[in-house]
């Protein structure tokens, strides 16, 4: 089992490539008795510290376009490595989700921490997106990355909730 990403690890977030990433994923949840949804991009980042890869969900407004008003854009909180991506240290800005207390299938989320979606909302959205865009084979690969069993469109939601039904955690 790969070692889970830890606070203090350095990661390399790839440069934004809208064509390769496709449209942002819309993560939906309920917060303060109202329905919420926000766009996120799921990227595969490199954990420079361990040499492993990890899944990162990053709020679209922190990744897609840089504006002077957005102090949390990746270009303003990380170091640009020309032609490769943004190097950033995992710290209190990040939250994470995982399959179990051992940190299996840990993934990172970089967003406004006042948002409170459950962990499974990210995985459900990623798997459903892969399923709708590229079919069950790709969806099964996404499930495998999160150490979840293969499923079909009708079983994905129940499968994910059975493994991950907790709020995101802080480092």
């Amino acid at each position: 089992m790969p070692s889970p990403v830890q606070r203090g690890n350095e990661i390399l977030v790839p440069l934004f490539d809208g064509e390769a990433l496709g449209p942002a994923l819309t993560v939906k949840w309920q917060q303060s008795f109202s329905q919420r949804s926000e766009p996120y991009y799921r990227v595969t980042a490199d954990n420079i510290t361990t040499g492993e890869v990890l899944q990162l969900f990053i709020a679209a407004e922190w990744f897609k376009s840089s504006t002077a008003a957005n102090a949390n854009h990746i270009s303003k909180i990380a170091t640009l490595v020309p032609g490769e991506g943004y190097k950033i240290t995992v710290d209190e800005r990040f939250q994470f989700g995982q399959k179990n207390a051992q940190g299996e299938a840990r993934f990172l989320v970089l967003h406004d921490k006042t948002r409170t979606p459950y962990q499974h909302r990210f995985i459900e959205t990623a798997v459903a997106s892969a399923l709708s865009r590229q079919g069950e084979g790709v969806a099964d690969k996404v499930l495998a990355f999160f150490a979840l069993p293969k499923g079909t469109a009708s079983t994905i939601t129940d499968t994910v909730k059975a493994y991950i039904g907790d709020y995101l955690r802080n480092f």
Side-chain angles (χ1 to χ4, degrees):
M1 174 175 94
S3 58
V5 63
Q6 301 289 325
R7 183 183 180 121
N9 286 174
E10 284 192 322
I11 63 171
L12 184 67
V13 179
L15 297 170
F16 180 82
D17 180 351
E19 190 171 312
L21 289 172
L25 307 172
T26 301
V27 176
K28 299 176 183 179
W29 73 97
Q30 187 170 359
Q31 182 174 332
S32 300
F33 303 107
S34 24
Q35 295 296 325
R36 299 277 311 268
S37 67
E38 294 291 342
Y40 287 81
Y41 285 98
R42 181 180 65 88
V43 299
T44 301
D46 293 314
N47 187 334
I48 298 168
T49 305
T50 66
E52 297 170 345
V53 297
L54 62 110
Q55 294 297 299
L56 167 68
F57 292 88
I58 184 169
E61 72 272 17
W62 289 17
F63 192 46
K64 184 176 180 181
S65 61
S66 177
T67 66
N70 191 346
N72 292 307
H73 190 272
I74 190 77
S75 65
K76 295 180 177 136
I77 62 172
T79 304
L80 177 64
V81 178
E84 293 192 37
Y86 295 99
K87 185 166 74 169
I88 188 169
T89 301
V90 176
D91 60 14
E92 70 281 347
R93 291 177 289 211
F94 289 85
Q95 291 185 303
F96 66 92
Q98 60 192 18
K99 181 177 176 180
N100 55 34
Q102 292 73 40
E104 188 177 356
R106 183 173 290 173
F107 62 93
L108 296 181
V109 180
L110 185 58
H111 67 157
D112 179 345
K113 288 170 55 175
T114 63
R115 299 175 183 173
T116 59
Y118 285 114
Q119 296 177 31
H120 72 266
R121 297 291 185 193
F122 290 91
I123 299 171
E124 283 175 345
T125 302
V127 173
S129 174
L131 184 63
S132 68
R133 285 190 352 219
Q134 298 167 319
E136 285 193 22
V138 174
D140 284 342
K141 288 178 184 177
V142 173
L143 283 167
F145 186 86
F146 292 108
L148 297 169
K150 292 181 180 181
T152 64
S154 61
T155 62
I156 288 170
T157 299
D158 292 336
T159 301
V160 171
K161 285 181 184 174
Y163 282 83
I164 302 171
D166 208 354
Y167 286 110
L168 294 168
R169 299 168 192 247
N170 295 317
F171 279 102

